[in-house]
Amino acid sequence: MKRPAAPAPPPIRKQRTIVFARLPPGQIPEAAAYLGSLEQLLVEPHEQQREIAVAYDLRQHSLQELETSLEERGHHLDNTLLSKMVRALIHYVEETQLHNLQTPARPLKRSQSQAYTHAWERHPHGDHDDTPPEWREYK
C-alpha cells in the first residue's frame, strides 16, 4: 500500500522594498528588468522613490540573495545608516526563519501528564517516612 504524498508546505510570502542610491541615475529600470527575469519573483518598480518592491517565497529567494545579485551586476543600493540597519534586520530574520524550517519538529514532552507523573514519582509524598515501621507502631 502506497502512502499518500505529504502535502507541499505553504509558501512563506515576503514583500520587501529594495532602495537604490541616487547615483548613478537610471538604474531602476535596468534592475527591475533583471529582477523580473527571475522565476517566482514579482517586481514593481517605483522610479520616483528610487526603489523596487519585490514579492517572493522565502523558500525560493531571500532579500540578501537578491541584493547581492544586484550589487554584483553593478547596481548601487542606498547606504544610509537606517537602510543598512533595516536590511541587516531583514537578513537576520529571513536567515533565522530558513534555519528554523530545517530543524525537525520535536515535542518537548510526549504528553502533558508525563511531566507531572515523573515529578510525582521523584517527589516524596503520602506516607513516605524514613522511620522504621516497628517504631511507628510503638505503643
Side-chain angles (χ1 to χ4, degrees):
M1 181 170 130
K2 261 189 165 177
R3 291 185 183 180
I12 302 171
R13 299 295 301 164
K14 298 293 178 183
Q15 295 180 350
R16 307 286 187 214
T17 303
I18 301 174
V19 182
F20 291 84
R22 292 186 191 277
L23 298 174
Q27 59 182 340
I28 303 296
E30 184 182 328
Y34 166 69
L35 291 174
S37 68
L38 299 177
E39 291 184 17
Q40 299 180 356
L41 185 67
L42 300 175
V43 178
E44 187 178 331
H46 303 284
E47 288 192 53
Q48 299 298 329
Q49 292 90 5
R50 296 185 340 265
E51 63 187 25
I52 296 176
V54 292
Y56 55 90
D57 179 11
L58 186 58
R59 297 177 201 275
Q60 303 297 325
H61 300 285
S62 69
L63 184 64
Q64 187 171 13
E65 168 208 332
L66 296 174
E67 289 176 345
T68 302
S69 65
L70 286 171
E71 288 175 337
E72 288 174 352
R73 295 180 67 81
H75 297 285
H76 299 279
L77 302 180
D78 186 28
N79 278 332
T80 61
L81 181 61
L82 180 62
S83 291
K84 286 181 180 180
M85 290 176 62
V86 168
R87 284 200 317 256
L89 178 64
I90 291 172
H91 295 174
Y92 172 75
V93 167
E94 289 184 352
E95 181 181 324
T96 302
Q97 275 187 305
L98 288 172
H99 175 74
N100 289 343
L101 287 171
Q102 295 170 355
T103 305
R106 171 175 63 97
L108 297 177
K109 302 176 214 162
R110 290 188 197 120
S111 69
Q112 284 292 349
S113 62
Q114 183 180 11
Y116 299 111
T117 304
H118 289 305
W120 181 259
E121 289 171 352
R122 292 188 190 111
H123 180 66
H125 58 277
D127 290 334
H128 288 271
D129 190 1
D130 291 338
T131 308
E134 61 271 6
W135 285 13
R136 277 190 256 147
E137 297 174 9
Y138 181 76
K139 295 184 185 183

